[in-house]
Amino acid sequence: MNNTDSTKGTVGVLRVLTQGPEATAVHGSIIEERYPRLETVSRCIDDHPDGIPTVEAERAALPYVKSLAREMADQVDTLAISCALDPAVESLQKELSIPVIGAGRAVSHAALSLGNKVGTIGLEAGDPPIVTETLGASHHASRQVQGAETTNFLTTDDGRATIEATANALVEDGCTVIAPVCTGITTSGVVPSLRESIEVPVVDPVESMGALATLVARGSSD
Amino acid sequence: MNNTDSTKGTVGVLRVLTQGPEATAVHGSIIEERYPRLETVSRCIDDHPDGIPTVEAERAALPYVKSLAREMADQVDTLAISCALDPAVESLQKELSIPVIGAGRAVSHAALSLGNKVGTIGLEAGDPPIVTETLGASHHASRQVQGAETTNFLTTDDGRATIEATANALVEDGCTVIAPVCTGITTSGVVPSLRESIEVPVVDPVESMGALATLVARGSSD
């Protein structure tokens, strides 16, 4: 363990989008803001400037994710794989001695705790299989952000407006909980304003991992 | 909304054990300590000095829970029903305009996010049906705290030692996540020391509700 502050748990945030250090740290900062008992250390896999936009791309990325996860595991208390496809999450949970959290399972289970008519917002490739499987019969509706072939689109003004329109359509579909199921939607920064404008609870895939990392953190804040 | 601090979300903690104000506030204090973006308001139902120890007792308590929940709903941003049987949770989620969280669903879904061999610690009456249903095939083992006919036993030294022995037995059973499924175990105060002594993640039913309430809280801490 590498805690500089013994009252805080250290979360390793593994990003699947290859970027510079500042952009790589964005998810970690969002986690720290909402969950002050955590500090984060962020790293990204190599060779993936468009992230993991599809299930096919996921297969190619698995060795990168596993290798980086093993490198990070010694320095952190909890590992958060910041992609809703949950690449390598199940095998890393078995292999590593620290808790491993995937954004897909985290956001799906958070949504299920809050209601049984979950509406998901995904990219054009559709919902991650782990999300579909986890939500099961409580998956009330699914809508895709039009025009988002990669996560980079989501951080534009057009992208944010499209996400908001998609969420509103899901509420009209009768959904009682809204779950973006791509961590690129977190990066876009639109989730806090969605929460203000939409009546039903909105869960976020990155923040859901922070919720769980706080839950399993050892030590007391006293 | 009744926030005294606009950066914080207010959680109504509904207790199903009839007690004085100080004891009633214990779960709320535990939530606030781990999730500093929340402030809590706690109230308990009348006429239940032994809580809701069984499914039969739950039926009799439902009108009390619903009535108090309706009273509290106007003053809080989120309502947490602090009992793992999730009494009235599904109907309150449909009825009320704020997010309603039950300890049973919250702790079960948190556990499922962290692994697929969940071990539950319950009272002698067995696991709450909502927990069994939610965990499904991932419910690897279940053990009861011997001697705990009511939640009051759990706050004694004997009760705490028994909980710790039960958790250790579940790890020996091969469980990869431990989930106490009675909020009386939270009250006992044993969960933080369980986390220190046990290798696998330990999720807590009351803290799991705080995790979710933070997740859906509106506003920014900036």
Side-chain angles (χ1 to χ4, degrees):
Chain A
M1 307 302 164
N2 190 30
N3 290 8
T4 50
D5 177 346
S6 68
T7 67
K8 296 207 174 191
T10 304
V11 183
V13 180
L14 189 155
R15 300 292 306 277
V16 300
L17 186 60
T18 309
Q19 299 171 103
E22 203 174 320
T24 298
V26 165
H27 289 182
S29 301
I30 289 169
I31 289 174
E32 287 177 0
E33 186 189 328
R34 197 158 277 258
Y35 295 99
R37 285 199 54 178
L38 302 175
E39 56 188 9
T40 61
V41 175
S42 298
R43 292 183 61 187
C44 64
I45 61 172
D46 292 331
D47 300 340
H48 286 77
D50 288 330
I52 306 183
T54 63
V55 173
E56 293 69 40
E58 184 193 1
R59 274 194 288 276
L62 284 179
Y64 292 80
V65 173
K66 288 183 186 175
S67 158
L68 181 55
R70 288 172 194 138
E71 274 183 49
M72 295 177 79
D74 286 343
Q75 279 101 50
V76 300
D77 300 310
T78 308
L79 192 63
I81 310 293
S82 207
C83 171
L85 286 161
D86 282 10
V89 166
E90 192 171 351
S91 72
L92 289 168
Q93 284 182 337
K94 285 178 187 145
E95 175 186 333
L96 300 178
S97 62
I98 57 170
V100 177
I101 305 170
R105 285 173 179 82
V107 74
S108 301
H109 283 296
L112 289 170
S113 299
L114 292 157
N116 55 13
K117 289 187 178 179
V118 178
T120 54
I121 307 178
L123 299 195
E124 286 188 345
D127 292 323
I130 186 65
V131 169
T132 307
E133 181 191 321
T134 304
L135 294 178
S138 298
H139 198 176
H140 187 67
S142 169
R143 284 180 177 268
Q144 278 68 52
V145 180
Q146 299 301 320
E149 283 172 23
T150 71
T151 57
N152 290 329
F153 165 77
L154 302 172
T155 58
T156 65
D157 283 347
D158 272 359
R160 279 188 282 266
T162 308
I163 294 166
E164 194 137 344
T166 309
N168 278 311
L170 287 168
V171 174
E172 283 167 28
D173 290 337
C175 297
T176 59
V177 189
I178 303 298
V181 293
C182 172
T183 61
I185 297 176
T186 308
T187 311
S188 76
V190 75
V191 176
S193 70
L194 275 187
R195 288 204 180 97
E196 302 290 341
S197 66
I198 285 181
E199 288 286 303
V200 306
V202 179
V203 291
D204 176 273
V206 173
E207 292 177 354
S208 296
M209 295 192 293
L212 289 161
T214 302
L215 187 60
V216 297
R218 293 186 167 96
S220 163
S221 64
D222 284 339
Chain B
M1 308 299 165
N2 191 30
N3 290 8
T4 51
D5 177 346
S6 68
T7 67
K8 295 207 175 191
T10 304
V11 183
V13 180
L14 189 155
R15 300 291 308 274
V16 300
L17 186 61
T18 309
Q19 300 171 104
E22 203 174 319
T24 298
V26 164
H27 289 182
S29 301
I30 288 169
I31 289 173
E32 288 177 0
E33 186 189 328
R34 198 159 277 258
Y35 295 100
R37 285 198 55 177
L38 303 175
E39 56 188 7
T40 61
V41 175
S42 299
R43 292 182 62 185
C44 64
I45 60 173
D46 292 330
D47 301 340
H48 286 77
D50 288 330
I52 306 183
T54 64
V55 173
E56 292 69 40
E58 183 193 1
R59 274 193 288 277
L62 285 178
Y64 292 81
V65 173
K66 287 183 185 174
S67 159
L68 180 55
R70 288 171 193 138
E71 275 183 48
M72 295 177 79
D74 287 343
Q75 279 101 50
V76 299
D77 301 310
T78 308
L79 192 63
I81 310 293
S82 206
C83 171
L85 286 160
D86 282 11
V89 167
E90 192 171 352
S91 72
L92 289 168
Q93 283 181 338
K94 286 179 184 142
E95 176 186 334
L96 300 178
S97 62
I98 57 171
V100 176
I101 305 170
R105 285 173 179 81
V107 75
S108 302
H109 283 296
L112 289 170
S113 299
L114 292 156
N116 55 13
K117 290 186 177 180
V118 179
T120 53
I121 307 178
L123 299 194
E124 287 188 344
D127 292 325
I130 187 65
V131 168
T132 307
E133 182 190 320
T134 304
L135 293 179
S138 299
H139 198 175
H140 187 67
S142 169
R143 286 180 176 268
Q144 279 68 52
V145 180
Q146 300 301 321
E149 283 172 22
T150 71
T151 57
N152 291 328
F153 164 78
L154 301 173
T155 58
T156 65
D157 283 347
D158 272 359
R160 278 189 281 265
T162 307
I163 295 166
E164 194 136 343
T166 309
N168 278 311
L170 286 167
V171 175
E172 283 166 29
D173 291 337
C175 297
T176 58
V177 189
I178 304 298
V181 293
C182 172
T183 61
I185 297 176
T186 308
T187 313
S188 76
V190 76
V191 176
S193 70
L194 275 187
R195 287 203 182 98
E196 302 290 342
S197 65
I198 284 181
E199 288 286 304
V200 306
V202 179
V203 292
D204 177 273
V206 172
E207 292 177 355
S208 297
M209 295 192 293
L212 290 160
T214 303
L215 188 61
V216 298
R218 292 185 167 96
S220 164
S221 64
D222 282 340

